[in-house]
Amino acid sequence: MKKDNKKVIYWLLTGCVLVFIMVVVGGITRLTDSGLSISNYKLITGTIPPLNDTEWQEAFELYQQYPEYQKLHSHFTIDDFKSIYFWEWLHRVIGRLIGLVFIIPFLYFLATKQLTKKTIKKCLILLVLGGFQGFLGWYMVKSGLVDRPDVSHYRLAAHLTTAFLTFAATLWVALDLIYPNKKPINTKFRNLIIVSYLILIVQIIYGAFVAGLKAGLLHNHWPLMNENEFMHHTVYILEPFYKNLIENPSGIQFIHRTLAYIVVISIVILWFKARKLTLTNLQKKSVDALLILVGFQFLLGVFTIIYAVPLWLGVAHQMGAFFLLSAMTFTLHRFSK
């Protein structure tokens, strides 16, 4: 049987789709404040939600023992609880499904010798990334069960960024199999793409910081912040100064807004420089896609701020980041191999 065949490619791309769905549901979970509705972790039995009134009451009473209920949601009825429980439960079930969809076919492909040694090594890295992502999800939730009714924005950023990187790594492995033939590369242009890629990753991390600290509910004006200031005075109120860069909601929103311009500029530069090169059809389309997607993502970010992060816009903005990272990964691959 041919190694690294189409079945292997479809398996990896299915994993990409499931990670995308997981990120979307994760965004809804965060924006609906559902992430702390399930305070325990049961790998097997946790896949089954409460099925009767007694089980629902037990789950609700467990929720009432933690800070989110005591400090924010003490007015909740059991019906209110059910609505937030659903999103967190679905998010966890999709995570388990991803694990099964990865591990079972992987073992089958191993047993039937359908993977090359190189692909096996790459898949083992994906397996570690997926497991680490699951651990980070538990570690993040744990931070919101002690004193504060919110998860740590650092842990949220780690959880979200690892999901994006797991997706990108899985897509990269699939692309290696889809396009196995090597070609000469323009090292200088590839390095420029890498710089843009790294800037985008930093922007995604700051997007997670904005989400974790609910910084999108501040300064709901554009292009200037409140009081017609480009940099509002609340951006630099903490001492020592570095805390404004990682813990001050106003400072973090300012960095996220400013990085958005830098991401756009870096991709516009890529697009103009690419026009001077001799490109394959896929290379040209990938760079064009970057330009279109970064434009949409920028607009989504502006409207998300102006309208103070309504659910649909917050989720759309996160999806936009995902599509932009996908296009950046594809572009880097097409200019690297």
Side-chain angles (χ1 to χ4, degrees), residues 14 17 20 31 65 68 78 97 101 117 153 158 160 175 198 223 228 239 247 270 287 306 315 321:
T14 299
V17 171
F20 169 70
L31 290 166
Q65 297 174 22
E68 184 175 81
I78 197 162
L97 178 62
V101 167
K117 286 184 179 179
H153 69 290
L160 181 65
L175 291 172
L198 293 175
N228 291 322
E239 294 290 344
E247 293 183 1
L270 277 180
V287 176
I306 290 174
V315 173

Side-chain angles (χ1 to χ4, degrees), residues 206 210 215 219 225 229-232 235 248-261:
Y206 266 92
V210 168
H219 311 298
M225 298 176 85
E229 293 179 330
F230 174 70
M231 181 188 289
H232 196 256
V235 166
N248 178 0
S250 291
I252 283 169
Q253 196 207 96
F254 174 76
I255 293 171
H256 193 54
R257 293 167 77 121
T258 306
L259 276 173
Y261 294 110

Side-chain angles (χ1 to χ4, degrees), residues 167-216:
F167 166 86
T170 307
L171 178 60
W172 189 275
V173 176
L175 291 172
D176 278 347
L177 304 186
I178 295 169
Y179 304 106
N181 297 326
K182 305 288 183 181
K183 62 182 185 304
I185 61 170
N186 184 321
T187 306
K188 190 175 180 180
F189 189 75
R190 182 207 58 192
N191 291 344
L192 198 59
I193 298 172
I194 291 173
V195 170
S196 297
Y197 201 109
L198 293 175
I199 294 170
L200 179 60
I201 294 296
V202 174
Q203 175 69 324
I204 288 169
I205 292 169
Y206 266 92
F209 282 174
V210 168
L213 292 174
K214 294 182 171 60

Side-chain angles (χ1 to χ4, degrees), residues 67-243:
E68 184 175 81
Y69 175 82
Q70 296 165 357
K71 296 181 180 181
L72 293 179
H73 294 161
S74 57
H75 61 285
F76 263 28
T77 65
I78 197 162
D79 288 331
D80 295 322
F81 172 68
K82 286 179 180 180
S83 67
I84 64 169
Y85 186 100
F86 169 77
W87 288 112
E88 175 63 9
W89 170 80
L90 182 61
H91 188 53
R92 294 188 184 198
V93 167
I94 295 171
R96 291 173 172 88
L97 178 62
I98 291 172
L100 291 175
V101 167
F102 188 86
I103 292 170
I104 294 173
F106 178 59
L107 293 175
Y108 167 75
F109 290 135
L110 270 181
T112 54
K113 298 181 179 178
Q114 295 185 52
L115 302 172
T116 61
K117 286 184 179 179
K118 187 180 288 188
T119 301
I120 291 171
K121 290 178 182 177
K122 292 175 184 176
C123 288
L124 288 173
I125 293 171
L126 297 181
L127 185 62
V128 171
L129 275 173
F132 185 56
Q133 167 67 2
F135 163 77
L136 285 175
W138 168 82
Y139 187 59
M140 176 186 71
V141 168
K142 189 179 176 184
S143 68
L145 300 176
V146 184
D147 299 313
R148 297 171 59 246
D150 289 299
V151 299
S152 160
H153 69 290
Y154 296 119
R155 298 187 191 186
L156 172 64
H159 183 53
L160 181 65
T161 306
T162 305
F164 275 75
L165 293 179
T166 301
F167 166 86
T170 307
L171 178 60
W172 189 275
V173 176
L175 291 172
D176 278 347
L177 304 186
I178 295 169
Y179 304 106
N181 297 326
K182 305 288 183 181
K183 62 182 185 304
I185 61 170
N186 184 321
T187 306
K188 190 175 180 180
F189 189 75
R190 182 207 58 192
N191 291 344
L192 198 59
I193 298 172
I194 291 173
V195 170
S196 297
Y197 201 109
L198 293 175
I199 294 170
L200 179 60
I201 294 296
V202 174
Q203 175 69 324
I204 288 169
I205 292 169
Y206 266 92
F209 282 174
V210 168
L213 292 174
K214 294 182 171 60
L217 303 178
L218 306 172
H219 311 298
N220 301 114
H221 303 273
W222 187 84
L224 302 175
M225 298 176 85
N226 291 56
E227 300 161 28
N228 291 322
E229 293 179 330
F230 174 70
M231 181 188 289
H232 196 256
H233 61 272
T234 55
V235 166
Y236 43 86
I237 58 174
L238 296 185
E239 294 290 344
F241 177 77
Y242 78 87
K243 286 195 172 184

Side-chain angles (χ1 to χ4, degrees), residues 29-76:
T29 302
R30 173 178 51 78
L31 290 166
T32 54
D33 289 328
S34 303
L36 296 175
S37 58
I38 305 176
S39 51
N40 55 11
Y41 188 85
K42 297 177 180 178
L43 183 61
I44 306 300
T45 57
T47 57
I48 303 171
L51 298 176
N52 54 52
D53 291 344
T54 302
E55 291 180 359
W56 274 116
Q57 189 60 42
E58 289 174 356
F60 189 36
E61 288 174 0
L62 182 63
Y63 175 65
Q64 291 172 323
Q65 297 174 22
Y66 291 96
E68 184 175 81
Y69 175 82
Q70 296 165 357
K71 296 181 180 181
L72 293 179
H73 294 161
S74 57
H75 61 285
F76 263 28

